[in-house]
Amino acid sequence: MPTWLALGDSYTIGEAVAAHERWPAVLAQRLRQAGISLDAPQLVAVTGWSTDELAQGMDAVALLPPYDLVTLQIGVNNQYRGRPAEDYRGEFAGLLARAIALAGGRAARVVVASIPDWGVTRFAAEQGRDRARIAEELDAYNAIAGDTCRRAGVRFVDVTAISRRHPELLADDGLHPSAAQYALWAAAIEPAARAALRS
């Protein structure tokens, strides 16, 4: 049965929603319903992780490549901590190279999801955060990730637009997406995941 490694942070583990509501779980269910057998994704993700912490986390767990699908979504905590976008460029490229290696060197088996815009959330408003600045910085991060993916032959899926269209779809913490928003992400990522598994 095809294997899947999901790398990321709070968005990948579905902070503040039930395990079956996180987007990798929803996507796996959608694929199974479409007749694509798939193991439950192995998650390497922790709330609050930045790129360097994900790299350390990957070093600390038992990984069993080659995986038939590897997904990656990382960087929001780099931006949240005020780290320069150019630092993200190198760290993201390193993680993407590792993801490709874990997919057996098959870049077409890797799917990257963009960073959603937390600046539109209730949490950001309550904290008095600069929404325009957050959007600008995240756009820069996502442009870097998208460009790096294109150069590597990796599929890149935009979920940022979904987060901006549906700022009301939040979990009780007012920051993370609700199950309904994760379902929209899963639907958006599904075509890329299907293509990756066919490649």
Side-chain angles (χ1 to χ4, degrees), residues 23-155:
W23 74 256
V26 176
L27 176 56
Q29 184 62 26
R30 290 179 67 99
L31 292 170
R32 292 187 196 107
Q33 289 172 348
I36 301 171
S37 61
L38 189 69
D39 265 351
Q42 177 184 354
L43 302 180
V44 181
V46 169
T47 294
W49 267 2
S50 54
T51 46
D52 54 319
E53 289 161 341
L54 173 57
Q56 293 166 9
M58 291 167 68
D59 292 339
V61 298
L63 299 173
L64 299 171
Y67 292 91
D68 298 295
L69 175 65
V70 179
T71 57
L72 174 63
Q73 184 182 37
I74 193 72
V76 69
N77 295 298
N78 295 60
Q79 183 277 331
Y80 183 82
R81 298 175 195 174
R83 296 182 181 178
E86 284 308 307
D87 289 356
Y88 176 71
R89 183 185 301 277
E91 292 175 1
F92 178 82
L95 287 170
L96 188 65
R98 291 183 70 175
I100 293 169
L102 288 164
R106 301 168 294 178
R109 293 286 183 131
V110 179
V111 175
V112 171
S114 70
I115 308 166
D117 188 350
W118 67 274
V120 303
T121 66
R122 187 169 70 250
F123 172 87
E126 291 171 351
Q127 296 287 317
R129 300 302 182 110
D130 185 336
R131 175 176 176 173
R133 179 178 177 181
I134 293 168
E136 180 181 355
E137 291 177 355
L138 288 174
D139 284 346
Y141 270 61
N142 282 321
I144 287 168
D147 181 64
T148 306
C149 287
R150 281 188 292 274
R151 292 172 184 272
V154 168
R155 292 176 176 85

Side-chain angles (χ1 to χ4, degrees), residues 161-176:
I162 296 173
S163 70
R164 289 170 174 162
R165 282 197 303 269
H166 298 284
E168 77 285 359
L169 297 182
L170 296 175
D172 290 342
D173 65 4
L175 173 61
H176 292 93

